[in-house]
């Protein structure tokens, strides 16, 4: 088979997705159960155990451990039903949503996990907005059905009302949340009864019951599920591939990650329903066919994940062609050759050498210190991929080294943190003060922590101020310089940002000068 045909075939076998959820909805548990059902781990608990080891070995992740949050993102690759699944992990905490935006730029679909007792929560909503802005198809999982929760029909309404996504249940609970017997598979009309395993640590065996048998065993609970489904049919809440791929409707699954209920159905849906990689659009909006020679873009940079080797990893999403370790690529922005001798799959601080990869896969390039977020790499024919949209920063703080004799280390650290996207770095023209901008307070804390630990430069940070930031251009910046309540700052990449003291000042300027350039989306 030619390499081009092989690239198409391999891409067809890839599913690259991210899980989005509010903290505590069950993302980690579900990830673990996916690995369990794929046979990648024999016992659930392995992911947490691995994560624990990773934390123990990594000092800058001390913060994660202290606060019980996930700051770093990792990529898991596993095989399932003759497919290769790439699960891109996203940090759960809202303060790191900038990181999540970038990860979602590398995904072809998302699984939205909702806690059945809580429904749509603030962080789910925010992350969903990012999916919507990218027209990313979203599968929904109603988790924790083993516990008392909201009425599932009411939850469907909530999803539709709050995020404007039409849910299309594929499975439906038999029994009330808290007294869950199994699920009704809407495609087959049968009931799937689950076997409980001790602590959900091992895969359960699904038992399929024909409707007559389900009615005999579960009487009213089965009848109620059948009635609910009839109602869903009536209101047209049924799976429609076109609407799903357009990001208008979401196939919905019910279950409980903890007890393994419904996990297999969801994983099967990732293979059967989620789309394989499709040709990526370049910066001009032209699709780059999958069978073209290798191309990819950097969507995340992370340094010093393992203090033992203090390295720097650039995560690259493969967009086209075949990647083979050792191939010499071209670095888009500089046109310089780029060696890929150190390509690895990365799970926290664990590395496995990657010898080859296909569209949809993610490669970690170790010690690729010249790479920045959005940079393209290609084997032939230049290509530039579009910049990754991000929401405007919401906080600013100024930073300076505590000890001026450490200024050089401070500057190096600031440059590194900016390259990784930990914070944005702004300056007022003619003023050397370093102003940091971020979406969440904790980004500043990570910045200060790492500068001290990794660069030996303790930082003085001013109290972060809430700001309303808009991207602007030279002409509007000129006008804004004479206006009250706003400062014009320049980001290191030359982007001009209008930093308003409060939304009030922005409203005033927008009302008086509707023609000025003030954009809420700031690209990286
Ligand atoms: P996150 O990554 O989205 O933050 O959530 P995570 O999987 O860590 O789950 C948060 C809590 O919810 C955990 O309990 C987990 O065991 C529980 N959980 C996840 N899925 C289910 C489910 O289907 N049913 C029930 N009843 N609980 C579920 P924890 O007590 O905070 O942690 P742990 O001691 O169990 O690890």
């Amino acid at each position: 088979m030619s390499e081009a045909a092989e690239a198409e075939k391999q891409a067809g076998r890839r599913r690259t997705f991210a899980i989005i959820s509010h903290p505590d909805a069950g993302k980690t548990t579900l990830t673990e159960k996916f690995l369990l059902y794929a046979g990648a781990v024999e016992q659930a608990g392995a992911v947490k155990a691995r994560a624990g080891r990773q934390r123990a070995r990594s000092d800058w992740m001390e913060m994660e451990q202290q606060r019980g949050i996930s700051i770093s993102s990792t990529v898991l690759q596993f095989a399932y039903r003759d497919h290769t699944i790439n699960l891109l992990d996203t940090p759960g905490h809202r303060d790191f949503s900038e990181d999540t935006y970038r990860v979602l730029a590398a995904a072809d679909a998302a699984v939205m996990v909702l806690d059945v007792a809580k429904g749509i929560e603030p962080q789910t909503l925010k992350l969903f907005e990012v999916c919507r802005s990218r027209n990313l198809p979203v599968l929904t999982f109603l988790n924790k059905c083993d516990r008392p929760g909201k009425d599932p029909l009411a939850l469907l309404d909530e999803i539709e009302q709050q995020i404007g996504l039409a849910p299309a249940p594929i499975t439906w609970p038999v029994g009330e949340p808290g007294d869950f017997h199994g699920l009704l598979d809407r495609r087959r009309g049968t009931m799937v009864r689950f076997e409980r395993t001790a602590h959900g640590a091992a895969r359960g065996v699904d038992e399929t019951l024909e409707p007559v048998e389900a009615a005999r065993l579960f009487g009213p609970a089965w009848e109620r599920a059948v009635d609910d489904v009839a109602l869903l049919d009536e209101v047209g809440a049924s799976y429609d591939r076109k609407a799903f791929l357009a990001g208008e409707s979401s196939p919905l699954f019910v279950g409980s990650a903890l007890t393994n209920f419904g996990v297999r159905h969801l994983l099967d849906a990732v293979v059967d329903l989620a789309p394989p990689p499709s040709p990526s659009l370049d910066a001009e909006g032209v699709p780059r066919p999958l069978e073209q020679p290798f191309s990819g873009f950097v969507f995340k940079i992370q340094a010093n994940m393992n203090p033992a080797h203090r390295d720097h990893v650039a995560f690259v999403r493969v967009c086209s062609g075949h990647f083979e370790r050792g191939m010499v690529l071209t670095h888009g922005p500089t046109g310089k050759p780029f060696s890929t001798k150190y390509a690895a799959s990365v799970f926290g601080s664990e590395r496995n050498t990657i010898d080859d990869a296909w569209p949809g896969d993610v490669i970690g390039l170790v010690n690729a210190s010249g790479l920045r977020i959005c940079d393209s790499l290609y084997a032939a024919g230049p290509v530039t991929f579009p910049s990754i949209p991000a929401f405007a920063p919401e906080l600013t703080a100024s930073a300076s080294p505590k000890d001026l004799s450490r200024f050089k280390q401070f500057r190096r650290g600031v440059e590194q943190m900016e390259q990784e996207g930990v914070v944005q770095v702004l300056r007022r023209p003619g003023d050397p003060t370093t102003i940091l901008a971020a979406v969440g307070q904790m980004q500043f804390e990570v910045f200060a922590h790492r500068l001290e630990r990794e660069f030996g430069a303790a930082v003085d940070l001013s109290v972060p101020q809430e700001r309303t930031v808009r991207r602007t251009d030279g002409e509007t910046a000129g006008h804004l310089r004479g206006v009250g309540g706003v400062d014009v700052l320049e980001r290191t990449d030359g982007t001009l940002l209008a930093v308003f003291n409060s939304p009030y000042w922005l409203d005033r300027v927008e009302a008086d000068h509707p023609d000025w350039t003030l954009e809420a989306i700031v690209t990286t």
Side-chain angles (χ1 to χ4, degrees):
M1 192 183 295
S2 72
E3 187 115 312
E6 183 69 17
E8 281 252 45
K9 187 177 141 209
Q10 292 286 348
R13 294 179 46 224
R14 271 16 189 214
R15 296 292 182 274
T16 302
F17 74 104
I19 301 180
I20 58 169
S21 66
H22 192 84
D24 269 350
K27 181 163 68 84
T28 312
T29 313
L30 185 64
T31 301
E32 229 172 50
K33 297 310 170 75
F34 277 165
L35 293 180
L36 180 74
Y37 273 79
V41 296
E42 279 312 307
Q43 282 255 314
V47 175
K48 276 192 181 157
R50 284 175 86 182
R53 277 214 314 276
Q54 166 203 331
R55 281 176 194 152
R57 287 216 304 259
S58 168
D59 62 2
W60 80 263
M61 289 183 188
E62 247 172 52
M63 283 184 62
E64 283 192 326
Q65 204 173 8
Q66 284 162 6
R67 295 163 187 249
I69 54 167
S70 163
I71 294 174
S72 58
S73 315
T74 47
V75 183
L76 289 170
Q77 188 180 66
F78 55 92
Y80 183 66
R81 285 180 36 201
D82 196 32
H83 283 69
T84 299
I85 314 285
N86 295 303
L87 170 50
L88 311 181
D89 193 13
T90 53
H93 198 282
R94 99 164 266 293
D95 276 15
F96 298 104
S97 16
E98 279 202 82
D99 206 27
T100 307
Y101 303 151
R102 295 192 277 257
V103 171
L104 288 171
D108 297 319
V111 168
M112 174 168 75
V113 180
L114 304 180
D115 180 331
V116 73
K118 302 204 170 131
I120 304 274
E121 295 177 88
Q123 183 67 0
T124 339
L125 195 62
K126 191 152 187 184
L127 294 175
F128 174 75
E129 287 305 332
V130 184
C131 296
R132 190 203 300 280
S133 72
R134 300 200 52 240
N135 292 330
L136 215 56
V138 176
L139 298 144
T140 304
F141 186 61
L142 287 190
N143 191 29
K144 306 198 186 183
C145 285
D146 58 311
R147 285 206 313 209
K150 298 186 181 182
D151 172 16
L153 280 176
L155 264 177
L156 298 190
D157 270 346
E158 191 175 317
I159 297 170
E160 184 134 27
Q161 301 291 326
Q162 289 205 23
I163 61 181
L165 189 66
I170 306 256
T171 60
W172 196 248
V174 178
E176 312 285 318
D179 185 22
F180 187 51
H181 307 299
L183 49 86
L184 192 163
D185 183 337
R186 247 180 116 194
R187 287 166 298 188
R188 297 185 180 83
T190 51
M191 175 171 165
V192 182
R193 181 190 190 178
F194 291 100
E195 179 196 38
R196 282 179 189 269
T197 63
H199 314 295
R203 288 180 288 261
V205 179
D206 299 349
E207 185 191 356
T208 302
L209 301 177
E210 291 305 319
V212 177
E213 188 65 359
R216 189 179 69 79
L217 290 172
F218 298 103
W222 171 255
E223 298 308 335
R224 162 118 199 251
V226 171
D227 286 351
D228 283 353
V229 163
L231 191 73
L232 295 173
D233 289 340
E234 236 167 78
V235 298
S238 299
Y239 174 66
D240 175 274
R241 183 154 183 83
K242 224 169 111 194
F244 165 54
L245 294 181
E248 293 161 5
S249 159
S250 176
L252 178 139
F253 298 80
V254 298
S256 151
L258 190 69
T259 55
N260 302 345
F261 284 13
V263 169
R264 190 196 303 276
H265 286 74
L266 182 62
L267 187 54
D268 281 335
V270 168
V271 169
D272 296 331
L273 308 183
S278 57
S280 308
L281 298 183
D282 67 15
E284 271 78 53
V286 179
R288 179 163 173 102
L290 299 166
E291 68 274 15
Q292 286 282 307
F294 172 84
S295 66
F297 69 92
V298 179
F299 66 93
K300 181 180 168 65
I301 290 179
Q302 196 157 328
N304 305 337
M305 287 199 289
N306 185 344
H309 30 96
R310 291 258 177 250
D311 60 8
H312 181 111
V313 180
F315 293 86
V316 175
R317 147 94 193 205
V318 182
C319 295
S320 68
H322 184 197
F323 171 81
E324 286 174 287
R325 189 165 61 87
M327 71 200 296
V328 178
L329 303 172
T330 303
H331 175 225
T334 58
K336 287 193 180 145
F338 187 92
S339 156
T340 59
K341 203 160 129 202
Y342 301 107
S345 66
V346 178
F347 182 90
S349 58
E350 289 181 18
R351 306 279 148 77
N352 292 305
T353 302
I354 280 189
D355 288 317
D356 66 345
W358 298 96
D361 289 343
V362 171
I363 39 186
L365 295 174
V366 182
N367 284 338
S369 53
L371 298 183
R372 288 171 177 264
I373 288 165
C374 279
D375 283 1
S376 62
L377 288 165
Y378 46 83
V383 55
T384 309
F385 291 106
S387 43
I388 300 175
F391 289 108
E394 293 166 23
L395 296 167
T396 61
S398 57
S400 56
K402 271 200 166 89
D403 173 358
L404 274 180
S405 70
R406 305 295 292 168
F407 192 75
K408 233 167 71 191
Q409 289 81 350
F410 170 80
R411 216 171 43 199
R412 251 204 1 251
V414 169
E415 205 181 298
Q416 171 81 44
M417 297 299 122
E418 186 186 29
Q419 226 179 71
E420 282 183 46
V422 172
V423 289
Q424 297 185 30
V425 179
L426 316 178
R427 289 208 171 70
R428 198 171 286 112
D431 178 349
T433 313
T434 302
I435 301 167
L436 310 177
V439 172
Q441 161 80 28
M442 260 195 262
Q443 287 178 255
F444 296 133
E445 292 174 32
V446 171
F447 169 87
H449 183 87
R450 290 188 54 189
L451 232 70
E452 184 164 358
R453 282 295 171 105
E454 295 167 22
F455 297 86
V459 177
D460 262 334
L461 264 185
S462 66
V463 177
Q465 303 290 319
E466 280 188 35
R467 300 288 190 222
T468 306
V469 178
R470 292 292 180 267
R471 178 193 164 101
T472 188
D473 59 17
E475 196 185 329
T476 301
H479 298 313
L480 285 172
R481 288 204 172 98
V483 174
V486 59
D487 205 358
V488 177
L489 302 177
E490 184 170 350
R491 207 166 59 181
T492 315
D493 65 358
T495 304
L496 289 173
L497 297 178
V499 180
F500 292 88
N501 289 349
S502 74
Y504 164 79
W505 295 100
L506 170 65
D507 289 348
R508 263 184 65 165
V509 167
E510 281 187 327
D512 293 346
H513 308 281
D515 52 324
W516 289 5
T517 305
L518 294 164
E519 292 165 5
I521 299 285
V522 179
T523 50
T524 34

